[in-house]
Amino acid sequence: MLVLNLACEPYLRVWELQHTLVEARRNQRIADVLLLLEHEPTITLGRNADAAHILASNDQLRSAGIAIHRVERGGDVTYHGPGQLVGYPILSLAEHHLAVSDYMHLLEEAVIRTLSDFGIQAQRRQSLIGVWVGESKVAALGARIQQGITFHGLAINVAPNLAHFDLIVPCGLPAVKITSMQKELGRKPDLSRVRQRTAVNLCLLLGTSKQEVSLPELLSQAGLPPPA
């Protein structure tokens, strides 16, 4: 798996990159890819999301510097922002002999193992996609499968601004409480180590090795021009 670590990126820039890489993966120009990054403050709505689950007004969102985008992933309304680790695996389900439900549970397990590496006991909840610490949600998942290739993925709350989650009904669950690794540990964990453990755990579950690449290297492998 090619692992690309990016910084804190605008949402649409990475959304466009995902589409580019999905096509390259589908045409077998690249191996499986895992994008790891943070996003600038953004609220996203899945394809069946209820816009009423955004509780803040447009003026409030502009004042907070939060963008809004409706995208093609599953799920309802989610928040992304600095301090949250986002992982976008772009891989072939058929080559890993995975059904969609198996894949989603695999992502949950990768997050659970990563949190365990930091001493946080987490679990999944029946009929609710995501990862929980007690009654509080610490990671959201939402994927899209296009001609057998996955994109979108997972978001782990490492040390985000939790107040921003009060602006939405997270994942369409009115009573849900949101937590973070920082809140559970009482300290801010090393985000670079969370990145590293997430990649390792995902690769272990998929039975593959990992190779870190730069964006120019990845685009070159895909037969695409370097970034502007």
Side-chain angles (χ1 to χ4, degrees):
M1 176 171 278
L2 304 173
V3 179
L4 173 61
N5 279 286
L6 298 171
C8 190
E9 301 285 339
Y11 188 87
L12 285 183
R13 181 184 299 169
V14 181
W15 179 79
E16 291 170 354
L17 175 61
Q18 286 186 80
H19 280 266
T20 298
L21 296 175
V22 165
E23 182 181 0
R25 182 67 186 88
R26 180 170 53 83
N27 292 319
Q28 299 186 335
R29 298 199 302 269
I30 54 173
D32 293 338
V33 176
L34 173 62
L35 306 179
L36 291 172
L37 58 131
E38 298 169 78
H39 275 305
E40 295 176 359
T42 307
I43 289 171
T44 65
L45 298 92
R47 58 187 180 275
N48 297 317
D50 184 348
H53 290 159
I54 299 177
L55 304 178
S57 67
N58 288 335
D59 286 343
Q60 285 175 300
L61 295 176
R62 276 194 295 269
S63 177
I66 300 175
I68 304 175
H69 299 294
R70 186 176 285 274
V71 293
E72 66 276 84
R73 62 160 173 80
D76 204 275
V77 175
T78 59
Y79 168 78
H80 299 304
Q84 182 192 71
L85 177 63
V86 177
Y88 294 139
I90 297 169
L91 56 85
S92 167
L93 289 180
E95 290 187 17
H96 291 284
H97 309 289
L98 290 170
V100 174
S101 61
D102 298 327
Y103 172 66
M104 298 307 294
H105 289 316
L106 184 146
L107 292 183
E108 289 174 328
E109 182 62 25
V111 174
I112 289 168
R113 292 189 183 190
T114 297
L115 294 172
S116 179
D117 291 336
F118 289 83
I120 298 172
Q121 184 177 357
Q123 63 280 329
R124 59 176 59 91
R125 292 177 69 175
Q126 189 171 1
S127 76
L128 291 174
I129 293 294
V131 177
W132 307 74
V133 178
E135 296 299 312
S136 300
K137 194 168 190 178
V138 70
L141 283 73
R144 174 73 172 177
I145 316 299
Q146 184 172 296
Q147 295 181 298
I149 306 300
T150 67
F151 60 121
H152 296 286
L154 59 90
I156 306 172
N157 295 334
V158 180
N161 182 349
L162 291 179
H164 281 173
F165 288 92
D166 295 335
L167 303 175
I168 63 173
V169 178
C171 304
L173 301 172
V176 71
K177 298 176 182 177
I178 301 295
T179 191
S180 67
M181 295 178 70
Q182 181 180 36
K183 184 175 180 178
E184 297 301 320
L185 294 170
R187 58 177 174 81
K188 186 176 180 178
D190 181 352
L191 184 59
S192 64
R193 185 164 174 255
V194 181
R195 286 174 178 255
Q196 191 266 344
R197 293 310 305 167
T198 300
V200 166
N201 287 319
L202 184 59
C203 287
L204 284 172
L205 288 164
L206 289 168
T208 189
S209 60
K210 72 182 184 76
Q211 176 188 343
E212 293 195 14
V213 294
S214 67
L215 180 56
E217 289 170 338
L218 180 57
L219 294 177
S220 176
Q221 288 188 36
L224 297 166

